Amino acid sequence: MTLNQLKLENEGKILNIGCSENIKRRLLDLGLVKNTNIIPVLISPSGDPKAFEVRGTLIAIREEDTKKIEIKI
Amino acid sequence: MGKSTIFNSLTGMHQHTGNWPGKTVANATGKATINSKDFLFVDIPGTYSLMSNSEEEEIARDYICFGNPDATVVVVDSTCLERNLNLLFQIMEMTENVILCVNLLDEAKKKKIKIDIKKLSEDLGIPVVGTTAKKKRTLENLKQTIYKVCIGEITPKPNKVIYEKIIEDGIEDVKTALDEVVKLEGKEHYKNDFLRWVAIKLIDGENKILNSIKKNTKLQIDYPKITRKVEEVRKKLQDQGITEKNFKDKIVSNILYKSEEICKKVCIFENENYTYRDRKIDKILTSKVFGIPIMIIFLAVIFWLTIVGSNYPSNLLFSFFGWIQDKLIELAIFIKLPEWISNMLIFGVYQTLTWVISVMLPPMAIFFPLFTFLEDLGYLPRIAFNTDKFFKKACCTGKQMITMCMGFGCNACGVTGCRIIDSPRERLIAILTNNFIPCNGRFPFLISVATIFIAGAYGGGSSILATLSVITIILIGIFLTLIISKILSKTILKGMPSSFVLELPPYRKPQIGKILVRSIFDRTLFILMRAIKIAAPAGLIIWLLANIGINGETLLNIIANFFDPFAKIMGLDGYILTAFVLGIPANEIVLPIILMCYLKSNMLIDMEDTFAIGEILRQNGWTIITAINVMIFTVLHFPCSTTLLTIKKETGSLKWTIWSFIIPTACGIVICILTNFIYHICIV
């Protein structure tokens, strides 16, 4: 499944990041690599973007990008 | 994070700090003396990584690699140590003399995170110092460590990240080739670590970094022997499934795993739910129902405090400068200065100058500390988070909203604030559209006009109507920002799709004292100085125009008459348009110039009484439609000279500065003509 399908407060594990090169780079910098745990915790008032808890930090990512991040539960 | 704070404490400088990464864009330097030895500190941009090639990262990387620092202090946030160790390992790959400063220990303590500093130091092989910016003693400790590393009393031996065997072998192969070339050329002063780093970058094939290496060192990395070796290694790696594409991913992942491993050993989370409080606050501040209303309330309160609070100090400044003015007049008479010279200097230069100070200083001195408070708290990234969707539709980023909020205080500051936007395209859009947001200087004028004509038209006590009309005008400005941003990104600023990956930092208790000092020095006084530089000559020009005449008619009148036919089409008159043009040094003087023209005076006129102003304006033909058009044009016209100068400085381009002049002006003219046209059709 992909990250955008993960329900709030549920934990997933990152399998693959298929975003465009510069966003992928940025996500890697922020600590999103294979096998990293990720939990969606906030939704912006208009539904997009969402914020995820990763390695003790909170990171906002747009839906168009979370669609391209594969995870497993 | 907290790097600039540490830098300031070490050097006593006032580098602006904010609760988001990437504040420092260019290198700032400061001096300090430790144990009677002089040290030069260089504050380099804060980043998460040195691998994604943003502008800040390049500056940071180039300085660490080629600036030959005696030591590199890496400042990390103790509340998210794991993520920050990533950067540390990348730096340890380039240079040996690294000191880790684990900052914000007080915040960590609050969140019940315990960090074993000693063990961390052992595991990393470098000196580690824990600091709390508020506690002087911890900083002294850092200073001493820096001293010891610089004089060689402590030699850091960084434990580098070890990659998979096949990658390590490849690195070693390329490094051997590099070693040989270096020896051949007799340039043996390159450190082992540095050459290993170059080897990794060669395999990776990142052109930007390689070009930087070529530019800054004499290392012959184009040497055929090396190029051949690199090709060979790449082929070997490819056979093992490590392609050009995933090589870097492997490197980054390895670094992150190592960070994770170390963190597990040295951090104890006594309270597993340590982010509980932050999440609870976030749930409210970004909730579907309250998120946006709370944001509006926050901003509204800030504006209200600014407008109400600046009245009194403004008047005080006015009377103070007025008192000096009287003395100056006496002095001029006493030294028998010719009247025209003294008038020109006092009523022209001095009066305009002090006018600008009196009207600009108090609102900025109130707005910026309040805004910096929100910034320090960590709320601003949440604003970007809440509003990103709207900006995404306009093909830009939610961070633009933060720069717009700053624009309410001062557009020049808003333009400078655009540095937080990573993508050059989106940054330019934010800069070009910032002026659609009315700044502090335009607010009082908007409110006066609304009170006189819109509230006044429907009888007294309808201040709600006046407020609503001002809000409507602001909403038009915001709406146009989005429309114009969209148009820009579809036309002259086509290119990369917009992106938005943003960290929402933990909330922090703002340090009031520092906020006051920083916001006043870095923002308020900085902007004021720029405004003053322009106000003085502008004052001279305005005075000359109002006092020099041809055939008994002042130049001001001639200009106004020239503009009049065109202004009439826009539903304004020649004087109003002239006032906007002459008001370019500061929007605050537009109304005084209008009054000066109407009263046939030869100096700027200040009036307290809105009722009296209303009378004068009505006598000179203002109607409700004039008022509406004036309000529209106040929001939609060329930026003030300070903002224009700032845009020139930030973009480094005259072309974009001219665009930033044309875009809002064109919008204003078109919309004024339309409203005027529609109004007259409806009336007839």
Side-chain angles (χ1 to χ4, degrees), chain B residues 44-200:
Chain B
I44 54 182
T47 64
Y48 297 118
S49 150
L50 295 170
M51 289 188 173
S52 38
N53 285 324
S54 72
E55 201 182 330
E56 300 96 72
E57 288 177 23
E58 261 170 61
I59 297 172
R61 187 191 61 220
D62 284 356
Y63 193 81
I64 297 168
C65 286
F66 314 118
N68 282 326
D70 293 312
T72 307
V73 180
V74 181
V75 182
V76 298
D77 179 350
S78 57
T79 59
C80 35
L81 186 66
E82 181 180 328
R83 219 269 317 285
N84 287 309
L85 283 184
N86 172 28
L87 175 68
L88 176 79
F89 278 114
Q90 291 183 28
I91 291 172
M92 293 204 311
E93 210 148 58
M94 308 188 291
T95 171
E96 264 180 355
N97 283 350
V98 186
I99 299 165
L100 179 66
C101 167
V102 182
N103 194 26
L104 302 175
L105 278 182
D106 45 340
E107 292 289 321
K109 202 170 167 188
K110 257 187 240 155
K111 291 183 174 169
K112 301 219 183 317
I113 305 171
K114 263 194 184 159
I115 299 171
D116 188 341
I117 301 276
K118 207 170 145 238
K119 181 133 184 50
L120 184 60
S121 173
E122 280 165 16
D123 282 354
L124 293 170
I126 58 165
V128 179
V129 186
T131 54
T132 304
K134 283 172 216 153
K135 282 189 192 149
K136 284 255 157 27
R137 186 174 45 80
T138 58
L139 285 169
E140 191 50 41
N141 207 346
L142 177 65
K143 276 189 190 174
Q144 291 306 328
T145 312
I146 294 172
Y147 178 80
K148 281 177 192 161
V149 170
C150 288
I151 62 163
E153 208 177 302
I154 302 177
T155 316
K157 291 208 169 49
N159 288 330
K160 290 182 194 303
V161 176
I162 308 292
Y163 303 105
E164 293 155 53
K165 174 132 194 338
I166 170 104
I167 295 181
E168 281 296 328
D169 289 347
I171 296 172
E172 198 49 45
D173 280 355
V174 176
K175 194 179 159 285
T176 316
L178 274 171
D179 276 336
E180 281 168 26
V181 171
V182 167
K183 239 175 229 154
L184 221 73
E185 305 253 317
K187 298 187 191 74
E188 279 151 273
H189 60 272
Y190 295 110
K191 287 194 176 127
N192 252 331
D193 298 88
F194 179 69
L195 291 178
R196 177 187 151 91
W197 178 73
V198 174
I200 297 175

Side-chain angles (χ1 to χ4, degrees), chain B residues 20-23 25 55-56 371 397-407 410-435 437 481 485 523 643 646-647 650-651:
Chain B
W20 72 61
K23 282 288 302 201
V25 174
E55 201 182 330
E56 300 96 72
F371 189 79
T397 159
K399 285 189 197 168
Q400 189 170 342
M401 186 65 197
I402 300 176
T403 68
M404 286 161 69
C405 292
M406 280 171 93
C410 167
N411 293 120
C413 269
V415 168
T416 317
C418 292
R419 289 177 183 178
I420 58 166
I421 300 171
D422 313 309
S423 135
R425 186 187 71 88
E426 286 161 20
R427 189 184 311 151
L428 203 49
I429 290 177
I431 290 176
L432 292 181
T433 54
N434 196 272
N435 199 55
I437 300 298
T481 305
S485 298
R523 287 186 170 148
T643 308
T646 312
I647 292 172
E650 290 296 315
T651 59

Side-chain angles (χ1 to χ4, degrees), chain B residues 626-660:
Chain B
T626 325
I628 291 172
N629 282 324
V630 164
M631 284 174 75
I632 292 172
F633 202 64
T634 304
V635 177
L636 304 173
H637 71 286
F638 37 82
C640 72
S641 49
T642 315
T643 308
L644 285 171
L645 273 183
T646 312
I647 292 172
K648 173 81 192 7
K649 214 169 165 210
E650 290 296 315
T651 59
S653 137
L654 190 64
K655 181 183 136 196
W656 293 121
T657 315
I658 293 171
W659 272 111
S660 74

Side-chain angles (χ1 to χ4, degrees), chain B residues 284-569:
Chain B
I284 301 167
L285 292 184
T286 66
S287 84
K288 208 173 179 122
V289 187
F290 301 114
I292 293 189
I294 288 177
M295 183 183 91
I296 294 172
I297 289 170
F298 266 150
L299 294 174
V301 167
I302 289 186
F303 298 143
W304 185 78
L305 284 174
T306 307
I307 291 165
V308 174
S310 53
N311 256 336
Y312 181 70
S314 259
N315 288 336
L316 215 61
L317 282 173
F318 262 122
S319 22
F320 171 70
F321 287 128
W323 179 78
I324 294 183
Q325 185 166 337
D326 292 342
K327 299 283 163 221
L328 282 176
I329 295 171
E330 280 170 31
L331 180 76
I333 294 169
F334 181 72
I335 58 169
K336 297 199 172 60
L337 207 63
E339 205 186 325
W340 70 273
I341 293 186
S342 74
N343 277 352
M344 185 170 73
L345 290 178
I346 294 170
F347 296 121
V349 179
Y350 175 83
Q351 202 182 31
T352 313
L353 189 67
T354 54
W355 199 299
V356 169
I357 296 173
S358 314
V359 288
M360 271 179 96
L361 184 59
M364 287 207 295
I366 296 172
F367 179 85
F368 283 121
L370 290 174
F371 189 79
T372 315
F373 178 83
L374 280 191
E375 183 182 329
D376 224 34
L377 202 65
Y379 181 61
L380 297 188
R382 270 80 183 174
I383 291 185
F385 179 68
N386 282 345
T387 55
D388 180 61
K389 182 114 184 226
F390 306 109
F391 289 91
K392 191 189 152 196
K393 285 199 177 129
C395 305
C396 40
T397 159
K399 285 189 197 168
Q400 189 170 342
M401 186 65 197
I402 300 176
T403 68
M404 286 161 69
C405 292
M406 280 171 93
F408 277 116
C410 167
N411 293 120
C413 269
V415 168
T416 317
C418 292
R419 289 177 183 178
I420 58 166
I421 300 171
D422 313 309
S423 135
R425 186 187 71 88
E426 286 161 20
R427 189 184 311 151
L428 203 49
I429 290 177
I431 290 176
L432 292 181
T433 54
N434 196 272
N435 199 55
F436 285 111
I437 300 298
C439 64
N440 266 331
R442 294 186 265 172
F443 254 99
F445 185 38
L446 283 176
I447 293 169
S448 304
V449 175
T451 322
I452 296 167
F453 286 93
I454 292 168
Y458 296 92
S462 48
S463 58
I464 296 169
L465 214 60
T467 316
L468 280 178
S469 60
V470 173
I471 291 172
T472 313
I473 290 283
I474 294 170
L475 289 178
I476 291 174
I478 295 175
F479 184 66
L480 272 171
T481 305
L482 292 168
I483 302 263
I484 299 291
S485 298
K486 173 109 189 176
I487 293 173
L488 282 174
S489 45
K490 292 285 173 213
T491 55
I492 48 175
L493 282 167
K494 259 191 272 190
M496 299 237 289
S498 72
S499 67
F500 182 78
V501 177
L502 180 71
E503 190 195 347
L504 307 177
Y507 289 104
R508 223 159 63 180
K509 198 173 136 202
Q511 293 170 267
I512 308 289
K514 284 202 168 139
I515 287 179
L516 282 175
V517 172
R518 300 271 147 64
S519 55
I520 292 193
F521 279 96
D522 295 355
R523 287 186 170 148
T524 310
L525 291 183
F526 176 73
I527 293 296
L528 196 65
M529 285 320 282
R530 276 197 189 170
I532 285 172
K533 272 185 211 153
I534 295 159
L540 187 66
I541 292 170
I542 294 170
W543 188 86
L544 289 175
L545 290 178
N547 287 278
I548 297 176
I550 303 169
N551 301 333
E553 212 180 347
T554 61
L555 285 176
L556 196 62
N557 266 331
I558 295 170
I559 296 172
N561 286 334
F562 172 77
F563 278 134
D564 204 53
F566 181 67
K568 283 272 156 56
I569 303 174

Side-chain angles (χ1 to χ4, degrees), chain A residues 29 34 41 55 58 60 62, chain B residues 49 52 82 283 388 498 502:
Chain A
D29 289 342
K34 211 177 157 180
V41 284
R55 295 177 191 270
L58 195 57
R62 280 182 181 167
Chain B
S49 150
S52 38
E82 181 180 328
K283 285 269 186 243
D388 180 61
S498 72
L502 180 71

